[in-house]
Amino acid sequence: LILIDRRSAQEMLVLLLLFLIFFYFFSGPEGGRTPEMAWSVALGVLFFLLVRGFLYYPESSPGIVTELRENSRRFLVASAGALLVWQFSLVLLFLPISALHQAALLFIFGVVFLELFSYHIEGALTRERMLVHFSVFFILAVALLASIEWSI
């Protein structure tokens, strides 16, 4: 059990849960935008809880002061991510595309930011990594949006 890479397994589980939550959110009832906008807050909270749990994965920390500083930093990063996902989900609610495409766009957005947040917490976030991740997000988003038959 010591040789099992549990962090990768936890990351896959978090990503799978994120996609299922995003798809369930966008495939809900079409009875106006007010309930969906209210449920988008719950979507942000769920994203916060999943990302916070992933970022708080047990690691060795050198002391209590460093641990408190890291915990507040992880909380702030998870909160910022939840706010960004909530805002992006509100933007996607008004696009005339299917629920699967909306969920896929939000999932790509969430995955890119989850990776960037992980690098930030580890202290390994560089400009090159940010550029690569945003380029991947842009290319995948353009490819996904180009594959949609727009019904405007």
Side-chain angles (χ1 to χ4, degrees):
L1 291 175
I2 294 173
L3 299 176
I4 297 174
D5 185 16
R6 290 189 178 105
R7 184 163 176 94
S8 296
Q10 183 185 13
E11 184 176 12
M12 290 299 297
L13 180 65
V14 166
L15 293 178
L16 176 68
L17 287 173
L18 282 178
F19 184 76
L20 292 175
I21 289 168
F22 294 160
F23 184 70
Y24 181 73
F25 171 72
F26 286 116
S27 65
E30 295 293 325
R33 293 292 178 203
T34 305
E36 292 173 350
M37 292 177 79
W39 278 107
S40 67
V41 173
L43 181 74
V45 170
L46 286 173
F47 182 83
F48 168 76
L49 292 173
L50 285 173
V51 169
R52 188 188 65 166
F54 178 71
L55 293 178
Y56 276 90
Y57 190 75
E59 299 172 357
S60 61
S61 66
I64 189 73
V65 174
T66 306
E67 183 178 331
L68 288 175
R69 186 179 312 133
E70 286 299 315
N71 285 344
S72 63
R73 188 171 150 194
R74 289 176 181 162
F75 181 81
L76 182 64
V77 166
S79 300
L83 180 67
L84 289 172
V85 165
W86 174 63
Q87 290 177 350
F88 196 61
S89 69
L90 289 178
V91 168
L92 289 175
L93 280 176
F94 294 103
L95 286 179
I97 57 178
S98 70
L100 182 62
H101 291 104
Q102 289 174 331
L105 275 172
L106 191 60
F107 179 71
I108 293 168
F109 183 79
V111 167
V112 167
F113 277 97
L114 181 64
E115 288 296 316
L116 288 176
F117 294 154
S118 296
Y119 285 132
H120 177 68
I121 293 298
E122 294 169 3
L125 185 61
T126 61
R127 290 182 183 173
E128 291 82 16
R129 283 191 178 168
M130 286 179 63
L131 182 63
V132 166
H133 280 76
F134 283 123
S135 298
V136 167
F137 169 72
F138 182 74
I139 290 170
L140 290 175
V142 166
L144 185 66
L145 291 172
S147 69
I148 299 172
E149 286 191 34
W150 292 87
S151 61
I152 294 179

